[in-house]
């Protein structure tokens, strides 16, 4: 099996695990009218450590996975994850990408951007946009907190999965290392 395919399959398995965890958290947080979104975690490691084609395939397929369980139009999250991937991949040489703290901070910014983009796309469909704005703010705050809490674990899971299938990312030569 080709190296790139093993990377994509390993990261998609990790994405499925994270998606299942977040779906369960959302299920148990529903009585408090909270919804968590950690889409930035799906993009960060592939964008910072994988080649363009392999990482983009991971981001788009993870987005389609998220779209399958979402009431949003199919493909919207995949498109946004793909755009976020391209942006982060473009600036990755300016970042010390071997550091977990940098991965978490990038995931926070990507999560914020994706959350705001989805909110602007769907805010007009709410019956009361003002009340919806407050709810979106609360959802954003708890989503960012969950991203910080799950980020280090998820990046370690992805790295260990890539090593397990014998397809670790290429050694990073960085001017910050």
């Amino acid at each position: 099996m080709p190296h790139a395919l093993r990377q994509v399959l390993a990261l998609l398995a990790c994405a499925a695990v994270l998606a299942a965890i977040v779906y369960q958290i959302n299920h148990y947080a529903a009585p408090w009218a909270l919804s968590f979104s950690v889409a930035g975690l799906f993009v960060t490691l592939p964008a910072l450590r994988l080649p363009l084609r392999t990482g983009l395939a991971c981001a788009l397929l993870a987005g389609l996975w998220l779209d399958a369980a979402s009431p949003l139009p199919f493909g919207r999250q995949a498109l946004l994850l793909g755009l976020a991937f391209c942006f982060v991949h473009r600036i990755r040489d300016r970042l010390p990408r071997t550091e977990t703290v940098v991965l978490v901070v990038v995931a926070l910014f990507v999560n914020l951007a994706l959350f705001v983009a989805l909110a602007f796309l769907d805010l007009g469909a709410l019956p009361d946009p003002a009340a919806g704005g407050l709810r979106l703010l609360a959802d954003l705050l708890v989503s960012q907190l969950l991203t910080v809490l799950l980020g280090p674990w998820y990046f370690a899971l992805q790295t260990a999965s890539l090593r397990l299938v014998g397809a670790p990312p290429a050694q990073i030569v960085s001017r910050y290392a």
Side-chain angles (χ1 to χ4, degrees):
M1 185 181 302
H3 185 77
L5 183 59
R6 286 194 312 249
Q7 287 178 329
V8 170
L9 292 175
L11 293 182
L12 284 178
C14 294
V17 168
L18 180 63
I21 290 170
V22 173
Y23 293 153
Q24 287 301 311
I25 291 171
N26 280 335
H27 174 73
Y28 289 113
W32 295 288
L34 289 175
S35 178
F36 295 86
S37 172
V38 293
L41 292 175
F42 294 106
V43 172
T44 304
L45 189 122
L48 291 177
R49 295 195 181 158
L50 295 181
L52 179 66
R53 275 191 208 172
T54 307
L56 186 58
C58 291
L60 291 174
L61 290 172
L64 291 174
W65 186 281
L66 294 175
D67 279 329
S70 173
L72 299 173
F74 192 74
R76 183 181 288 185
Q77 291 186 54
L79 175 68
L80 289 174
L81 286 178
L83 290 173
F85 170 85
C86 290
F87 178 77
V88 174
H89 192 271
R90 180 79 173 141
I91 65 166
R92 76 185 190 164
D93 289 333
R94 299 177 188 157
L95 301 170
R97 6 180 209 159
T98 57
E99 301 292 326
T100 303
V101 173
V102 173
L103 290 170
V104 172
V105 170
V106 169
L108 281 171
F109 280 114
V110 170
N111 201 48
L112 173 68
L114 292 171
F115 195 93
V116 169
L118 284 170
F120 277 126
L121 289 173
D122 294 327
L123 193 59
L126 296 174
D128 184 12
L134 290 175
R135 173 157 184 229
L136 287 173
L137 181 62
D139 287 349
L140 175 63
L141 291 175
V142 296
S143 294
Q144 294 295 74
L145 179 64
L146 189 64
T147 300
V148 168
L149 293 174
L150 289 180
W153 167 79
Y154 185 62
F155 298 135
L157 176 69
Q158 287 179 312
T159 304
S161 297
L162 288 171
R163 264 193 247 119
L164 181 68
V165 297
Q171 191 68 19
I172 297 170
V173 178
S174 174
R175 58 183 163 196
Y176 300 103

